[in-house]
Amino acid sequence: MRWAELLLLLPAAPYRLVAFPFAALFHHLCASGHLSLTARYVFLLAGGCLLAGTAMGSYAVLLFIPAAGSVLVLLSVSPAHAHTWVFALQMSWQTLCHLGLSSQELDPQDARPAIALSAIMLLTQKATSLALDIHEGVVPLQLAQGPLQRALRLCSYLLFFPALLGGPLCSFSRFRAQAESSGGLPRRLRAAGQQCLCALALQGLRSGLWGGLAGRQGCAGLGCPPCLWARALLLRLAYYMHWMLDEALLEVAGFGPEVGQGDLSLRDLWTLETTHRLAVFSRTWNKSTSRWLRRLVFQRCSAQPLLATFAFSAWWHGLRPGQVFGFMCWAVMVEADYRIHPFLSTRATSRGVKLLYRGTTWVFTQLIVAYILVAVETESFSTLCLLWTSCNSILPLSYGLALLLLVLAKKLKQN
């Protein structure tokens, strides 16, 4: 795979790489005491605006409008109603942007709309997370500060350049603490260097896999399970690289996540590729977004929280047919996973049966994950129909049928 082909999937990657020296410069100026607190927030905000203008062009306006609107809401609405108003504003605007841009005939080679939509989605995460913190009293808006100072801090958090184009989600409290501290740059650079090396290794693995698939004769297309699995593996490796670069950029700037709070560590990578439980995969995949969804939807929903969480995730991602189908299928598969594995594990008593159980369920998990990821990434309805009518649907349908039978058996036992 050529770098140009990789950048079609990760269009913001070049802009992240360009931001690295500016992130290191910011951290150096902070550590050496050359930037006052106000200057630090101005630097971060100005860098975010400049990066948005460079990466998105005129589409950057689509990002600045909801950012300014959320700041105005947070400064003018009482803490008890801040989350409701910010959530309504962000999701309404984001949905309009998704629908508006998807309905236009855009140049497929123009990456600016995709970068803008991704940044708006990340902005929704930060704005709603901050609004929840204010609503719950975790982040009090200090009345001793002037409105301009408060507005500067809020705008800087929503648009600070190290997290403008990628995650993981950084809380406002951690953002303030890190912006006002002066941590050691060498340690940050060492951690960022390790993550960049990991990203490079993943790219090498991805290139080798792509080359092996290109020269492979035999089955191809969505109807071939091995081909579908390999295609999903290429997608996963691209996402892993994306998260590694994001965390490396945050580390260089001094905003690295706490241990275990990032999107991907080597331990997470091992878990994602070796787990035989789809529920474990789902909790580990894109961890900061999973925690955000859990806090925003799962913990606040009294009826069918799992289904509501995946339905909201489909809405947040854009509500394309593939996303709706993929996330709803994901919800059913996770619910089936919660019921099937306790049923099977109690019957796997001997060592040989346990190995068979774990090996078989690992293969099933890999194939179901591949099916879901390819469905979510599918752009057209016709391609989605090809996936649905292929033999790859047999396993998800079997899981769904097993879920139905186990639910009915539980009800009959209760009666």
Side-chain angles (χ1 to χ4, degrees):
M1 171 169 287
R2 298 186 296 272
W3 280 102
E5 292 168 332
L6 169 68
L7 298 181
L8 290 177
L9 186 60
L10 302 176
Y15 303 103
R16 290 189 184 90
L17 296 176
V18 169
F20 268 85
F22 295 98
L25 174 63
F26 169 78
H27 198 180
H28 171 72
L29 293 175
C30 291
S32 59
H34 289 90
L35 287 178
S36 65
L37 292 182
T38 300
R40 295 180 186 189
Y41 288 114
V42 171
F43 190 110
L44 292 170
L45 176 58
C49 293
L50 182 61
L51 180 60
T54 304
M56 305 170 203
S58 59
Y59 293 99
V61 176
L62 299 178
L63 177 68
F64 295 148
I65 290 175
S70 292
V71 171
L72 289 174
V73 168
L74 292 173
L75 292 175
S76 58
V77 175
S78 66
H81 300 96
H83 171 64
T84 302
W85 282 98
V86 168
F87 178 86
L89 169 66
Q90 287 293 146
M91 288 307 299
S92 298
W93 181 262
Q94 181 179 307
T95 302
L96 287 174
C97 290
H98 272 295
L99 295 176
L101 291 177
S102 63
S103 64
Q104 298 180 17
E105 294 185 3
L106 301 173
D107 182 3
Q109 300 299 321
D110 187 2
R112 294 176 301 169
I115 295 174
L117 284 175
S118 176
I120 292 170
M121 292 168 66
L122 293 168
L123 174 67
T124 298
Q125 279 193 345
K126 286 183 281 189
T128 53
S129 176
L130 173 57
L132 271 177
D133 286 341
I134 294 173
H135 175 75
E136 295 170 359
V138 178
V139 177
L141 289 179
Q142 300 169 354
L143 298 178
Q145 295 177 343
L148 289 179
Q149 285 182 309
R150 281 181 285 163
L152 175 61
R153 282 164 170 74
L154 294 176
C155 285
S156 297
Y157 170 66
L158 295 179
L159 296 174
F160 76 111
F161 73 92
L164 185 76
L165 303 179
L169 177 62
C170 174
S171 69
F172 182 75
S173 299
R174 182 165 180 80
F175 166 76
R176 282 197 61 184
Q178 296 295 93
E180 297 174 5
S181 69
S182 55
L185 184 57
R187 181 177 62 84
R188 296 285 185 180
L189 289 177
R190 185 164 53 250
Q194 292 172 351
Q195 289 165 329
C196 288
L197 287 176
C198 288
L200 188 61
L202 290 172
Q203 166 58 13
L205 179 60
R206 193 165 186 266
S207 299
L209 178 60
W210 180 271
L213 288 175
R216 186 174 182 272
Q217 302 295 325
C219 71
L222 296 179
C224 176
C227 182
L228 188 78
W229 175 84
R231 182 175 175 181
L233 180 57
L234 287 171
L235 289 171
R236 293 205 302 274
L237 290 174
Y239 278 114
Y240 297 157
M241 288 181 58
H242 167 88
W243 296 332
M244 287 283 188
L245 288 176
D246 288 343
E247 291 195 27
L249 179 58
L250 284 170
E251 284 286 358
V252 170
F255 296 95
E258 299 178 35
V259 177
Q261 298 299 305
D263 279 334
L264 187 70
S265 65
L266 292 178
R267 183 177 180 179
D268 296 330
L269 184 60
W270 175 259
T271 299
L272 287 168
E273 295 304 319
T274 60
T275 183
H276 68 293
R277 294 291 307 269
L278 184 62
V280 174
F281 180 93
S282 303
R283 287 194 298 268
T284 311
W285 178 263
N286 199 357
K287 280 170 52 177
S288 66
T289 297
S290 297
R291 287 191 296 270
W292 171 68
L293 289 170
R294 183 176 184 83
R295 183 188 182 196
L296 186 72
V297 183
F298 189 87
Q299 294 177 345
R300 302 167 65 87
C301 185
S302 57
Q304 298 294 330
L306 181 67
L307 183 62
T309 301
F310 279 97
F312 175 77
S313 186
W315 179 20
W316 180 67
H317 279 85
L319 286 177
R320 293 199 307 268
Q323 293 166 342
V324 174
F325 172 76
F327 282 106
M328 290 299 95
C329 177
W330 200 340
V332 174
M333 294 301 101
V334 170
E335 184 64 34
D337 183 270
Y338 281 133
R339 295 176 183 270
I340 290 173
H341 282 276
F343 177 81
L344 293 178
S345 60
T346 56
R347 287 156 177 79
T349 54
S350 66
R351 182 178 178 83
V353 176
K354 285 182 180 178
L355 288 175
L356 178 63
Y357 154 67
R358 285 184 172 271
T360 304
T361 51
W362 176 80
V363 172
F364 287 173
T365 298
Q366 287 283 309
L367 292 175
I368 289 174
V369 165
Y371 185 85
I372 292 170
L373 286 182
V374 171
V376 169
E377 294 292 334
T378 299
E379 296 284 346
S380 66
F381 185 74
S382 58
T383 307
L384 182 63
C385 289
L386 290 176
L387 177 64
W388 167 249
T389 55
S390 71
C391 63
N392 293 291
S393 296
I394 295 175
L395 187 57
L397 286 172
S398 301
Y399 259 55
L401 179 60
L403 171 62
L404 180 61
L405 293 176
L406 288 172
V407 170
L408 291 175
K410 183 179 180 180
K411 288 185 176 181
L412 290 175
K413 185 181 293 186
Q414 290 174 347
N415 294 334

